[in-house]
Structure formats: C-alpha cells, structure tokens
Amino acid sequence: MLTKGLISLVKRKYDDATTFAERILDVRPNDEAGLILKARTLALTDRTEEALQIMTEAGALNRESQGINLTLLELYREVGDLPKIIETFERLRESRPDDSALKIDFANTLYKSGNTERARALVRSILEAKPTNRITTADIIELWVEYDSNPLTDQDYAFLAKEGSVESRIDIARYLLNIGQPERAREILVAAASGFWPEVRAVYGRTLAALGRKGEALAIANEIFENDETNADALLIRAQDALDREDFVQAVNDAQIVIRDNPQLLDGHLALVNIYKEKDDLDSAQRIFQDAARLLPQNLMLFQAYAGFLIENGQDRRALSVTRSFARDTSASVKAWQLYSQICGQSSSQTCEGEARRGVLLARSLYARDLPPGTPPTRGLFGRLN
C-alpha cells in the first residue's frame, strides 16, 4: 500500500496517494509512514497547515523519530518558520551527530538567518572530523562563497595545516587561490607537500607560482609529470608558464587537458579563459565560459567572472540573459539575485529590476539549499517537497 502511495505521489496523482495513505491509517491510525505519506500529499496540494497539524501531533508522540522530524523540517521550510526549522535541526542533530550533509544543511540556514558564528562552528566540526568526501568540502566552499568571505580563524588554518584531511586541504587551497589568498593556501599545504600525495604537491606548486616562486613551481610540475602527465594542477602550472612566455599553443593544450579530465574543476575553465583573453581571442574565451556554464550551472564564482567578461566586452544584453538564467537556477541564492540585479542596473532593460528585487526578497526567506537543475522529484518517503 505504501509503495503504491509513493508511486502515486511521484506521478502527481494526489487523490490516489491520499486514498492509499488513508487505507494505511484505517488499519494502523498512528502508522508513521502512513502519516508522512498523507502529510506530504497535503503539502503538495497547498494544504501545508493541515500537513503540519498531522506531523506535529505525530511528533508530540515520538520526538526522536527521524522520519517525523525530517518531514517537519520540510514543512516548516514551506511556511518559512525559522524558529521551528532551527529547533527541528537540533533534534535531528541529536540523532545524527555525524551526518555532515545535515550539518551543512543546518549551517546554510544559520548563515542565511544571520547566525554566522554558529554556522562557522558547525562547519568547523565537519572539518575537524577530517572529511575525505570531496562533495562535503565542495559544499562547505559553496557556503563560504555565498555567505562568508572570512570563514576561518588563525586556529582553523593551523588545524588544517597540521591535522586536516588531505582532501579538505587540497580543495580549500584551490578555493583560496581562486580568491587571491595564495599565502594562506601555501600555509595549509606546506606540511604535507613533501609527502606521498602528488595532488597536494601539485596544488602547493600552484601556490608557489602565485607567490612569484615560478621556478620552484615549474620544477614541482616537471617532477610530477615523470609519473603522471595529466595531473590537473601541474598542467595549470605549466600552462601559466607557457602563457608567460606567450607560448599560446602549449598553454591552450594544457588547459584543455585539464578541462577534458576534470570538467567540474572551475580552475581549468578560468585558466583557459584567461589564456584566450591574453591571446586576444575573445570569441574562444566566451565559448569556454558558455561551456563552463553548462557544466557548472550553479557556480557563483564562475558566473561572476562570466558576467564581468560580458560587460567588459559590451555585451550587456547577453550578460543580463546569463545572470537571469543563473539566478533562476539558484533561486535560494541571495548573491545570485544580487548579481542579476547588478547587471540589470548596468543594462537598458526596464523590466528586470522588479524581478531581481523580488528574487532577492524571496531568496532571503528560502532556508533550503538549491537542488541541481533537472533533479527529479523525491521518490522515497523523505526528502525535499520541491
């Protein structure tokens, strides 16, 4: 019965889903799955208050139920009840203390509601657990790009340098390079740079290059090429060296290999754009931005750079179109809508200001992170309502 109800829900056959939920509850009035199925169906048919009444009554009987609390979290998000959202997150953390994804979700809410120090503490607890999952560090960096330009204390940098996971050091160092802090990036890598991790050593080489120590950086890259000719960061070092010598063929070739093998790595796309700009091949630079935008449709740093490029080259209408699409794909991002608003203010359009203003206001009250474009509806009993 439950499976049939879930199938009906996915197919948006809400009357059928309600019927299956009520059949379950006729037999077992307090059946948790039946209550959740009914509540989700009500919420998806604009009856969120009724759904909340059902789930709060269920929660009063079983405050520790993860299923009930996960459902309540989504319902409170629907109505924008921030205190209840935070309260529910706290209950979920008690039952799932090591769930990094939950902590990141909670940190997003805390950041957005102005609780910056609590958000930083949550992120710090994740990093102190030495995560090896690259998705986790990518999600942390996404939070920093959106909310926090100075997220780490000196103590945090010292911890990363001595005890942080290799994966988090690499990803955070790349982020620091992208925001122009190569010395901080070098600091968290230096202790591990002489070890057995070529990826660490290669990113460390990039920090040296950014600090002007180009000979040392190129020596590290050449050393890595003896065993791996496709290491992305070593290729980026060599590409920059080639660009400095105006060897555009070598520079383009190396950057293209980085993108081919690492399409989700922002650094490769930005490097190739820069090479084409230095070559005065603006059409190719724009093509790389277009390709990157398809691969990274929710990357704020990419779209900030893309919009700036278009404005610099007199393509105001194209910049407006690009930032509008980006904001719509990242509707919960205040900075995405602010970028659209900024470009709108530089264009001659009379219609975009209202949309941008409404987008900013709505994004400030959306306490869930954006799902990737094209994400299918939840097929299980738990998960996002939209």
Side-chain angles (χ1 to χ4, degrees), residues 32-33 36 40 55 58-76 87-100 102 381-383:
E32 184 174 302
I36 293 172
R40 289 182 69 84
M55 295 315 300
L61 296 174
N62 188 359
R63 285 179 55 83
E64 306 304 317
S65 166
Q66 292 188 37
I68 290 172
N69 284 319
L70 285 168
T71 305
L72 280 169
L73 178 61
E74 293 306 314
L75 294 173
Y76 288 135
E87 179 185 310
T88 308
F89 265 125
E90 294 288 13
R91 287 201 301 274
L92 283 165
R93 281 189 64 207
E94 291 175 8
S95 59
R96 304 168 72 164
D98 300 322
D99 188 333
S100 294
L102 179 70
L381 195 57
F382 312 116

Side-chain angles (χ1 to χ4, degrees), residues 151-167:
L152 298 171
T153 64
D154 288 343
Q155 291 78 13
D156 294 329
Y157 282 112
F159 169 80
L160 286 169
K162 293 179 181 178
E163 302 180 54
S165 69
V166 170
E167 292 81 3

Side-chain angles (χ1 to χ4, degrees), residues 20-32:
F20 288 122
E22 290 177 345
R23 285 182 185 175
I24 293 170
L25 296 171
D26 285 343
V27 178
R28 297 182 297 279
N30 293 318
D31 183 89
E32 184 174 302

